[in-house]
Amino acid sequence: MGARIHQATVIGDGAMGTVCAIILAENGANVRLWSNFPEQAEEMARNRENARFLPGRKFPDNLQVTADPAEALGGAELIVSAVPCQFIRGVWGRLASHYHGEVPIVAVSKGIEISTVMVSTEILTDVLGSAPLAALSGPSIAPELADRQPCAVVAAAESLPRAELIQHAFSNAYFRVYVHTDLIGVEIAGATKNVIALAAGIIDGIQAGCNAKAALLTRGIVEICRLGTALGANAATFQGLAGVGDLVTTCISPVGRNRTAGERIGRGMSADEAVAATNSVIEGIPTTRAVLDLARRHGVVMPITEAVASVLSGAVSPREAITRLMTRELRHEQDDPASC
């Protein structure tokens, strides 16, 4: 295992982008971590750590930080796009003139763009045109990864050799990467699980109990699978690391951004207040609107997502939303296919 890449670039200096840069560097690649903010880039370069998102995790010597797009992308053999989904279009629109179309780009952000209902790789295609794209997704809480705790994820691409390239570049003794060819399924799973994680946090916030959370996760994966298969994904994808795996981690982790935001909402904060309480992007909040839009376009029923949207908008209280879910028309569980 180990790197097959000599020069790599990570676009985006959040927690996950920084962790990806550290992993690639530890695996032997020379890495440039690009920040959209020159002052932040200078601080990280000087202190050799990302004090804002991953304090105390020092950078390897072969990891350099820059705010210069030309310097960041020049000579790259692999590019990681770690820009939050709602900002991909704007950031890559500025970087496009420095990108050479043959370099693989692997997206690690999980979300759906509100204005277009596109997932990350679809946005990149829209901005850059034809490009060799992939996604890296799964249960991967950044602080745990930064502490080298064991983690397994999937690298998904329509081209198997491209997925294998990413697998070999990232895999090491604590980060195991499987390959996958269901790119849309892996991306939909990663985006929609953040919506369910908001609901899980709300359950924690109102202390609704473990039974409620177990039911939420179980029925949540059904909704995710319904939407994914309507978009052409393989139902089995949602039972794997990118589906159930990522959903469980996001819904139980005490440091998960979306679950934590949901818990604050359950305790009485508005969605805006929950966002203001963190310095990280809460992808699940804008993604909820995009998921509902996508579901309605494809005739997919997603009652949990609808309930989360109602709470986020302030239309109903968390407890009222749960009551509405519990008093929906009764049905047979086997009405849903076993894989969904």
Side-chain angles (χ1 to χ4, degrees):
M1 293 188 292
R4 299 295 187 272
I5 299 294
H6 299 289
Q7 184 69 54
T9 295
V10 178
I11 301 298
D13 64 352
M16 194 61 195
T18 301
V19 165
C20 286
I22 291 172
I23 291 172
L24 288 168
E26 288 183 345
N27 285 1
N30 294 311
V31 180
R32 299 189 189 104
L33 174 61
W34 180 83
S35 173
N36 195 31
F37 309 99
E39 290 184 2
Q40 171 76 357
E42 290 176 9
E43 180 181 336
M44 288 191 293
R46 181 174 61 253
N47 297 329
R48 305 301 300 159
E49 69 174 307
N50 188 337
R52 182 181 183 190
F53 293 111
L54 289 175
R57 281 78 167 191
K58 293 298 182 180
F59 294 163
D61 292 341
N62 53 333
L63 194 167
Q64 304 303 316
V65 186
T66 182
D68 183 339
E71 180 184 10
L73 293 172
E77 299 168 40
L78 176 67
I79 299 169
V80 177
S81 177
V83 180
C85 186
Q86 306 305 324
F87 302 99
I88 290 174
R89 187 174 300 277
V91 168
W92 275 99
R94 290 168 42 216
L95 299 179
S97 62
H98 302 283
Y99 170 68
H100 302 291
E102 73 282 358
V103 182
I105 301 175
V106 54
V108 298
S109 50
K110 301 169 182 177
I112 300 174
E113 189 176 40
I114 294 173
S115 60
T116 65
V117 295
M118 291 180 178
V119 293
S120 296
T121 57
E122 291 173 330
I123 303 167
L124 289 168
T125 298
D126 204 33
V127 174
L128 301 174
S130 178
L133 300 173
L136 189 68
S137 191
S140 47
I141 298 295
E144 292 185 13
L145 265 178
D147 289 338
R148 299 176 179 82
Q149 295 183 14
C151 176
V153 298
V154 292
E158 293 175 354
S159 160
L160 183 58
R162 189 180 310 142
E164 290 172 339
L165 170 74
I166 294 157
Q167 178 185 48
H168 290 295
F170 276 95
S171 292
N172 59 30
Y174 64 90
F175 194 56
R176 182 173 177 84
V177 182
Y178 291 83
V179 294
H180 215 300
T181 55
D182 184 9
L183 180 57
I184 186 62
V186 166
E187 288 215 80
I188 287 295
T192 51
K193 58 91 184 180
N194 285 332
V195 179
I196 307 302
L198 285 170
I202 291 170
I203 283 174
D204 290 339
I206 63 174
Q207 298 182 321
C210 294
N211 291 336
K213 184 178 276 192
L216 172 76
L217 268 66
T218 305
R219 297 308 301 173
I221 201 67
V222 170
E223 288 194 14
I224 292 170
C225 184
R226 280 185 197 145
L227 180 62
T229 53
L231 296 169
N234 186 330
T237 299
F238 304 98
Q239 305 306 320
L241 286 165
V244 171
D246 205 2
L247 179 67
V248 169
T249 292
T250 308
C251 290
I252 67 174
S253 170
V255 299
R257 293 171 295 173
N258 292 279
R259 192 213 61 81
T260 300
E263 183 173 3
R264 288 170 173 152
I265 292 167
R267 290 178 175 174
M269 282 190 181
S270 68
D272 288 342
E273 289 169 338
V275 170
T278 179
N279 63 359
S280 299
V281 174
I282 311 300
E283 288 276 24
I285 290 178
T287 295
T288 299
R289 290 170 50 195
V291 169
L292 270 187
D293 189 4
L294 198 55
R296 288 164 181 163
R297 293 185 190 191
H298 292 270
V300 177
V301 177
M302 302 187 74
I304 296 172
T305 303
E306 290 176 0
V308 172
S310 296
V311 172
L312 293 179
S313 69
V316 300
S317 70
R319 290 195 179 276
E320 184 178 354
I322 290 174
T323 299
R324 289 184 181 185
L325 285 171
M326 295 297 291
T327 55
R328 294 174 67 238
E329 181 181 355
L330 299 177
R331 56 184 300 179
H332 292 195
E333 186 179 37
Q334 63 262 41
D335 287 347
D336 293 304
S339 58
C340 287

